[in-house]
Each structure stands twice: as structure tokens, then as C-alpha cells.
Amino acid sequence: MPDLPDICLECLYPCSPGEITVTLSDGVRHKHCQNCLLCTHPLPSESTTLVGGHVFHSDCADLLNTLCLKCNKPLHLSANVVQFENCNWHPTCFNCEACSEPVLGDSAIRFRKLYHRECLGPLVQHRAYIQDERLQPCPMTLVSAPHRSTLVLYDRPLVKLIANVLTPAQCRYIQEQALSDFHRSEVGVSGAHIPGEICAGRSSSSAYIPKSVNAEIAALEAHAAAILGCPVSHLGRFHVGHYAPGQHFGIHYDTQNKAESLKSTNGYQRVATLLVYLVDMHCDPGCPGPANGHTVFPLLGLSIPPIMGAGVYFQNIDEAGELYPVALHAGAKVCCGAKWVLNIWAYNKPMHNGIIPVPAKS
């Protein structure tokens, strides 16, 4: 078997010959990938805590360890908990991802998945990543298909990559419709009576496109509602985001949990998100990092590159209206070019022209 290049265990990209890397107990990382996966801040190797094959600050790692690594459900301290390599599992969840048998002997964690070391075979010896299509950043061949194809990236919450949601012409049309209304992006919810806030964690510009402003937008709204599995009346306004080099969107959720929403948004929650990329993102020679504008789900080990027309669908809440803790995500810093995205949110109740209605006065 020929020698394989070292694979960075954070971004899954090969390390180039002569490139500066950081070697930890589990393998190699690019120097620029030596950041806490939860808060994204740099950290020196001596203060690194490894959890599920990723690096974290100790405080951030403590937050992660309140959840079972496999099922993502809370761990109760009074119950039995299986601990291995700074990760916790329910006893019934401590099984090999490859063979589904209980893990009793030599084992390894790769990208938040547990395996018998023998099930990994020679791949572990060469520090190559597992050829698991659910965990890889979307294959470039996916979007070249003439039909819409879907790649499931995670099961619960459901996260999937959908090719060819929009055509290149539709992507350009959406950009044109948004150009006249750009402003500094805010953090908050979509309601005319609920002001958003300027936040350093979100440095992009954005614009809303009025609901069904013309026949073309109305047709695209119907198309999006079919993908999201909801009535058009439950869609918010199309939200277009623009990120210049150096801009990003820090870790966040797209909605609130059930109790918080009842207090602040009259019970409105974003059930699911469809994030559509309006441009391709390519790195220039010498780009400081491969995650150029990627959509990152740090607790799921997913980093998805922008590809024009492709959409990322993900659930924000479960059937009971409770927030999925692992739906935490971020927009990685743009290193090269400009990133354009279209956010489409499906709500749990009908909207008023795409906006959360003003609560009735008592």
C-alpha cells in the first residue's frame, strides 16, 4: 500500500509537504486548524483538550461532555456513563459504528464516531480519514449531476446536502434582488416588532426580499417550501447574506427553544433551515486555510464548502419543539473572494407576509 499524505484531523484536507503542522496524540493538524472547534479561538497545543477527535478549550470541552457522543442526548450524572478519550456515552450507545458490536477492546475515535481499531484496518496506521460519505465535506461531483441529488450528512437532527436547488441564473437573480437593501447583519429573529442587534460575532451584510414580491420570487418560494416540507405561508422572507474577505458568522442557533420562543416571539420557532449557496468559493494560492466560508457544525464534525446552487437543509428543533443542542453551527471566515448565501426558514406557524405577526394586545 503506498504511503498516504498526512490528513488534517480537523478539516480533513491533506497536509502539503513542508507545511507547518501540529502533532497531537491522535494525529496531525494544520497550524491554522489548531483552533477550538466550539468557540473557534486559537489555542496552544499545551492547553488542548481532545474530545471526539477535535480540539477544544477545557471549558468548551466541559460543555460538550454533558451530551452522549453517539445519540447527542443529555447524560444524567446519576446514571452509568462510559468514558473514553475525554468523551462520554450512554452504556447502550458505546458501540462500533462499523460493526455495531459493543466496544470492549482496542478502539479509536474518528470524527466523533467510535470504532474498533480492527474495523478501521490499515487506514488508522496511515492517519487517513474514514470513507464515510455522511461525514465527508460534500463531494464536488454531487452538484454536477443534471438532476437534484441528496446526500444525508447526519441523521438526528437531519442534515443533508441537496444539489442544484437553484440554477446559476436563479442564483444571480437572487443577488440582484437583494442589492438595493443591504445593511449590516443583525442577530435576532424575523419580526418587524422585534429589533435585531449588531454583534461582533456576525460581520456580514444582509438584505430581506419581500415575500412574493413578484412572480419569480413567488415561484422560488413554492420551490423552497416543497423542499422544506411546509406550506408557503410558513416561510419567512428570503434572507440574502454577503460576506467579504475576513467576515464570518460565529457559532449560533437558528432558533430558540420552546420556552424562550413563547416569551419573545409569541411561540414562533424556525423548524428547519435551507441555506443555499449563491456562488462558488475557491481558494487563491497561499490561502491561509481550506475552510473558506464553509458552513461548520462543530458538534457534528461537519464542514461544508459553498458550491453554487447547492443547499444545506438542517432541522433546528425536534418534534416536541425542543432545540437540538448539536444544531449549533457557524459560517467560517471568508479568506478569498466573496460569499453569497440565501437563508430560507420554515416556521412552525403561518407568517404575516413572511414576518412574525405582532402579538395581539391584551
Side-chain angles (χ1 to χ4, degrees), residues 171-190:
C171 290
R172 290 188 290 269
Y173 180 76
I174 292 291
Q175 294 176 60
E176 293 167 358
Q177 290 294 301
L179 281 174
S180 62
D181 191 39
F182 268 112
H183 56 274
R184 172 70 186 271
S185 297
E186 299 174 342
V187 175
V189 291
S190 178

Side-chain angles (χ1 to χ4, degrees), residues 158-228:
L158 180 60
V159 182
K160 55 186 180 180
L161 179 72
I162 308 170
N164 304 317
V165 172
L166 297 178
T167 67
Q170 290 170 332
C171 290
R172 290 188 290 269
Y173 180 76
I174 292 291
Q175 294 176 60
E176 293 167 358
Q177 290 294 301
L179 281 174
S180 62
D181 191 39
F182 268 112
H183 56 274
R184 172 70 186 271
S185 297
E186 299 174 342
V187 175
V189 291
S190 178
H193 66 289
I194 307 170
E197 298 178 353
I198 299 295
C199 175
R202 188 179 193 184
S203 53
S204 60
S205 299
S206 60
Y208 283 102
I209 298 177
K211 191 75 176 285
S212 303
V213 65
N214 56 40
E216 289 81 4
I217 294 298
L220 291 175
E221 289 169 351
H223 174 57
I227 295 174
L228 285 160

Side-chain angles (χ1 to χ4, degrees), residues 37-344:
L37 191 61
L38 185 60
C39 71
T40 72
H41 293 162
L43 71 169
S45 57
E46 58 268 19
S47 66
T48 292
T49 298
L50 284 169
V51 179
H54 295 287
V55 288
F56 298 88
H57 291 108
S58 296
D59 290 346
C60 295
D62 290 342
L63 293 176
L64 294 180
N65 281 331
T66 62
L67 301 174
C68 172
L69 190 68
K70 182 177 180 69
C71 70
N72 296 318
K73 294 181 179 179
L75 294 160
H76 300 290
L77 297 180
S78 59
N80 292 328
V81 174
V82 179
Q83 296 182 324
F84 174 63
E85 291 193 5
N86 295 322
C87 301
N88 296 323
W89 288 262
H90 295 111
T92 55
C93 293
F94 197 66
N95 301 318
C96 175
E97 289 290 333
C99 68
S100 299
E101 294 296 322
V103 173
L104 301 175
D106 197 14
S107 58
I109 299 173
R110 286 297 180 271
F111 314 118
R112 298 182 59 81
K113 299 291 182 181
L114 178 69
Y115 297 88
H116 291 114
R117 196 171 292 275
E118 61 196 36
C119 290
L120 293 178
L123 290 175
V124 169
Q125 301 173 17
H126 291 273
R127 294 197 291 265
Y129 56 93
I130 307 307
Q131 297 294 331
D132 181 348
E133 66 175 3
R134 294 190 314 155
L135 302 182
Q136 290 187 51
C138 54
M140 297 296 289
T141 55
L142 179 67
V143 297
S144 64
H147 58 282
R148 185 178 306 113
S149 52
T150 299
L151 182 67
V152 174
L153 303 174
Y154 213 82
D155 301 322
R156 187 174 177 86
L158 180 60
V159 182
K160 55 186 180 180
L161 179 72
I162 308 170
N164 304 317
V165 172
L166 297 178
T167 67
Q170 290 170 332
C171 290
R172 290 188 290 269
Y173 180 76
I174 292 291
Q175 294 176 60
E176 293 167 358
Q177 290 294 301
L179 281 174
S180 62
D181 191 39
F182 268 112
H183 56 274
R184 172 70 186 271
S185 297
E186 299 174 342
V187 175
V189 291
S190 178
H193 66 289
I194 307 170
E197 298 178 353
I198 299 295
C199 175
R202 188 179 193 184
S203 53
S204 60
S205 299
S206 60
Y208 283 102
I209 298 177
K211 191 75 176 285
S212 303
V213 65
N214 56 40
E216 289 81 4
I217 294 298
L220 291 175
E221 289 169 351
H223 174 57
I227 295 174
L228 285 160
C230 71
V232 174
S233 61
H234 286 55
L235 288 185
R237 296 171 293 172
F238 281 3
H239 178 267
V240 181
H242 174 268
Y243 296 78
Q247 294 183 334
H248 72 291
F249 193 176
I251 53 174
H252 64 282
Y253 294 107
D254 270 10
T255 196
Q256 299 170 306
N257 64 37
K258 193 171 185 178
E260 290 174 339
S261 69
L262 288 171
K263 295 178 182 177
S264 61
T265 61
N266 199 26
Y268 276 84
Q269 293 175 286
R270 293 168 177 167
V271 177
T273 297
L274 179 62
L275 175 68
V276 185
Y277 302 114
L278 302 180
V279 294
D280 288 316
M281 299 290 292
H282 301 289
C283 288
D284 298 332
C287 177
N292 184 22
H294 285 204
T295 302
V296 180
F297 291 82
L299 304 188
L300 301 181
L302 297 174
S303 182
I304 306 168
I307 301 175
M308 178 185 278
V312 180
Y313 167 95
F314 57 94
Q315 296 173 322
N316 298 306
I317 58 175
D318 62 18
E319 296 82 357
E322 297 302 328
L323 188 71
Y324 279 115
V326 293
L328 194 74
H329 60 284
K333 183 173 69 175
V334 173
C335 301
C336 306
K339 175 183 175 182
W340 288 77
V341 294
L342 170 62
N343 292 288
I344 309 172

